[in-house]
Amino acid sequence: MTAFHTIAIPHDDILQGRLTMDVFAADLWEVFKGRGVDEYRKPELFFQKTYETEGLKTLLDVVGKRLAGKGGDPVLQIQTPFGGGKTHTLIAMYHKAAEWGAKRVVMVGTSMSAKDTLWGSLEEQLTGKRTNFKDLTSPGRTDEFRDMLANAGPVMILMDEVLEYITKASGVTVGESTLADQTIAFMQELTETVSTLDKVVLIITLPSSNMPNMNAKSQQLLQNLQSVSGRMEKIYSPVQEHEITKVIGLRLFSHIDKKKAGKVINQFVEYATRESLLPAGVEASEYRSRFEDSYPFLPEVVDILYQRWGSYFTFQRTRGALRLLALVIYSLKENNLPYITLSDFDLANQEIRQELLKHIGMEFNGVIAADITGPESGATKINAVLGKAHQGLRLGERVTTAIFMYSFSGGVERGVTLSEIKRNATTLENPSAIVSEAVEELKGRLFYIQSQAGKYFFTNHANLNHLLLVRMENI
């Protein structure tokens, strides 16, 4: 069959193995300073690799109208789950502002020192110097402050990671208050002032209030910030879950031949229908449509990364998925696979494995070696048991890899059904029954696999197979 990488052509950075995190990590401050990778710094390349979601289109429309003096919301907050595309959206608006002829003010909390001020940065970027607003006390809604904004012409103010800055500023004493208190007061004054001016727009990003790694102090600061800015703002979400496959496809691939992809997808759907592998309650036409959106990845690849692995607060949903999928594509670019499933994630590949283990713990290195990738692992032994006709398929590794990828979640959901294993581990040239045989063999040979309520999953606790082996060795 036709290899996926001749149908979906990866971008050059992926083919060349340029897969460091900075390629996928959007940084507004670096773009503002004219630094960083070309994918974000150069507008033409940025929009070439950016899927314009419904949310992004709406935001650009609202902001464009506001800067042109044709209405639109004066204060916008962008709020998504961690890694949900906030900074990417700010960069899109930063580049568009240049097209619209607007002045751009950029403040990124992670790049500001504890004793810097938002009002000082605002004055410096608009006038080229800090003269009137260089104190640590908020300037208030003075005519002087309002005139500075009004006289600057169309102005777009972009604030990213504001909570990070306020957390640092809480340690700076200003009279009987702190710089954090002064900043929160300024945010209220700024939003009220911006709302009175026709061609000024303020866009802020804030994290979700239910971030699990946020301490009580940060939670309180966030609530204070939301209470003052929320009086004027409108909240937007730039990426909806159903759009993530299109975001991934445009960022990872320069071109996808829809006609050739359609042939592969039709073959798979026909095979899956014949072998009863489609998800329960899902029509063939519905699954085909989902596969068309996610190709060359089986739909479950994106689902599991975004929903299960993405539920770890350490896994940044969009950039984390992009980085991991880019590594997988690079590892498979010499293979003749027609599409990519979770079984194709090579856990023997150091970079792919570490990209996963940093979310679940390095103790799973031993689990992977013992049951999946090691020369004496249960998966390797199964390949020989299944007979010579199927040894080249590496079904032992494919089955165990699929189980591993389904085993983890930041929530309560974990595990994989036999049907899901078959859908990922089988190949179009072979009956899925051989996968069922592999699963049966693995149950008696793997040391860390568990099963419950019809689902299989890995843990870092040894099962009876391991205990029996230790007992026999002791005897």
Side-chain angles (χ1 to χ4, degrees):
M1 294 185 70
T2 308
F4 78 87
H5 50 79
T6 65
I7 300 174
I9 313 298
H11 282 299
D12 286 341
D13 56 352
I14 296 173
L15 291 173
Q16 294 165 8
R18 189 160 62 87
L19 306 173
T20 53
M21 199 60 179
D22 65 325
V23 175
F24 304 103
D27 191 321
L28 178 62
W29 188 253
E30 288 296 293
V31 172
F32 174 62
K33 289 297 184 180
R35 304 187 296 246
V37 295
D38 290 349
E39 283 80 357
Y40 294 107
R41 184 168 51 85
K42 295 184 176 180
E44 184 178 346
L45 187 57
F46 174 83
F47 286 110
Q48 179 187 327
K49 293 187 176 184
T50 296
Y51 176 73
E52 199 167 289
T53 63
E54 295 168 11
L56 180 56
K57 287 178 184 176
T58 300
L59 279 164
L60 292 175
D61 181 58
V62 169
V63 172
K65 285 180 179 178
R66 181 71 187 176
L67 293 174
K70 298 179 180 178
D73 299 305
V75 182
L76 298 88
Q77 183 195 134
I78 301 173
Q79 188 177 101
T80 66
F82 198 47
K86 296 189 294 291
T87 304
H88 196 96
T89 302
L90 291 186
I91 293 174
M93 287 190 281
Y94 175 85
H95 288 313
K96 282 292 184 182
E99 294 180 23
W100 296 328
K103 286 188 177 179
R104 300 171 293 187
V105 175
V106 172
M107 287 176 272
V108 179
T110 51
S111 300
M112 296 177 69
S113 72
K115 292 189 177 182
D116 204 353
T117 65
L118 297 182
W119 47 93
S121 295
L122 184 63
E123 182 187 25
E124 184 174 355
Q125 291 185 43
L126 288 178
T127 68
K129 55 188 177 180
R130 297 193 190 198
T131 305
N132 300 316
F133 308 116
K134 55 187 177 181
D135 295 334
L136 293 181
T137 304
S138 174
R141 286 187 62 188
T142 61
D143 290 341
E144 190 176 31
F145 180 72
R146 186 184 186 282
D147 291 345
M148 179 184 72
L149 285 171
N151 296 334
V155 178
M156 176 188 288
I157 304 169
L158 300 171
M159 291 187 178
D160 198 12
E161 306 289 1
V162 182
L163 181 63
E164 289 280 346
Y165 164 71
I166 292 179
T167 301
K168 289 184 285 189
S170 64
V172 179
T173 301
V174 180
E176 295 183 0
S177 68
T178 67
L179 186 54
D181 296 330
Q182 294 294 321
T183 301
I184 289 171
F186 172 74
M187 289 302 297
Q188 180 171 342
E189 296 154 5
L190 177 62
T191 55
E192 291 173 354
T193 302
V194 166
S195 298
T196 67
L197 301 171
D198 288 339
K199 296 184 179 181
V200 181
V201 63
L202 170 63
I203 301 129
I204 312 167
T205 70
L206 292 176
S208 298
S209 57
N210 59 352
M211 289 288 290
N213 62 328
M214 192 180 292
N215 60 34
K217 179 180 178 182
S218 296
Q219 287 274 8
Q220 185 59 53
L221 288 172
L222 177 59
Q223 288 174 14
N224 294 343
L225 186 58
Q226 287 173 329
S227 68
V228 298
S229 62
R231 298 169 66 239
M232 299 288 182
E233 72 189 356
K234 188 169 182 179
I235 298 175
Y236 288 86
S237 181
V239 183
Q240 301 300 319
E241 193 163 323
H242 70 273
E243 297 174 309
I244 193 64
T245 51
K246 292 184 174 67
V247 172
I248 288 171
L250 196 58
R251 177 57 188 89
L252 297 179
F253 303 99
S254 60
H255 173 71
I256 299 177
D257 189 322
K258 297 295 184 181
K259 187 175 181 180
K260 290 182 178 178
K263 289 181 179 179
V264 173
I265 292 167
N266 284 336
Q267 283 180 294
F268 176 84
V269 173
E270 289 171 9
Y271 171 86
T273 302
R274 187 170 62 252
E275 297 283 325
S276 300
L277 300 183
L278 293 179
V282 176
E283 295 292 331
S285 59
E286 181 185 347
Y287 193 85
R288 182 184 290 108
S289 178
R290 292 194 63 218
F291 202 171
E292 287 169 353
D293 285 342
S294 65
Y295 186 84
F297 305 106
L298 205 67
E300 285 77 7
V301 173
V302 179
D303 290 346
I304 293 302
L305 288 185
Y306 203 73
Q307 295 169 5
R308 294 202 189 180
W309 289 86
S311 62
Y312 288 104
F313 73 85
T314 53
F315 190 100
Q316 295 183 326
R317 280 184 167 182
T318 304
R319 73 182 68 167
L322 285 171
R323 154 81 172 163
L324 184 55
L325 291 175
L327 289 170
V328 171
I329 292 167
Y330 182 71
S331 73
L332 298 172
K333 64 187 178 72
E334 304 296 334
N335 292 40
N336 196 35
L337 296 170
Y339 55 90
I340 299 172
T341 76
L342 289 166
S343 292
D344 297 309
F345 284 47
D346 183 6
L347 297 179
N349 180 297
Q350 180 73 9
E351 284 192 283
I352 292 175
R353 186 170 70 249
Q354 293 307 313
E355 200 67 25
L356 296 169
L357 294 185
K358 66 186 181 184
H359 308 295
I360 59 176
M362 291 301 162
E363 64 270 20
F364 281 96
N365 255 321
V367 174
I368 292 172
D371 279 353
I372 305 174
T373 62
E376 295 299 318
S377 68
T380 303
K381 292 174 181 176
I382 289 302
N383 293 334
V385 172
L386 293 177
K388 292 182 179 179
H390 301 108
Q391 281 187 24
L393 299 176
R394 297 174 56 253
L395 285 176
E397 289 96 325
R398 291 184 64 78
V399 167
T400 50
T401 299
I403 295 172
F404 185 86
M405 293 302 300
Y406 271 88
S407 294
F408 303 96
S409 168
V412 296
E413 190 176 9
R414 65 173 178 176
V416 58
T417 64
L418 180 58
S419 177
E420 290 167 331
I421 296 172
K422 287 181 178 181
R423 197 155 60 245
N424 282 274
T426 192
T427 59
L428 299 184
E429 295 85 2
N430 296 276
S432 60
I434 191 66
V435 175
S436 300
E437 187 179 335
V439 172
E440 286 302 312
E441 291 288 346
L442 286 167
K443 287 195 292 187
R445 295 172 183 269
L446 300 186
F447 296 146
Y448 295 96
I449 196 169
Q450 312 285 345
S451 63
Q452 187 176 15
K455 290 189 174 184
Y456 301 92
F457 53 93
F458 280 103
T459 70
N460 57 354
H461 301 294
N463 58 26
L464 284 174
N465 296 330
H466 186 271
L467 297 176
L468 286 171
L469 178 66
V470 171
R471 181 65 60 86
M472 287 188 291
E473 287 176 346
N474 287 340
I475 292 172

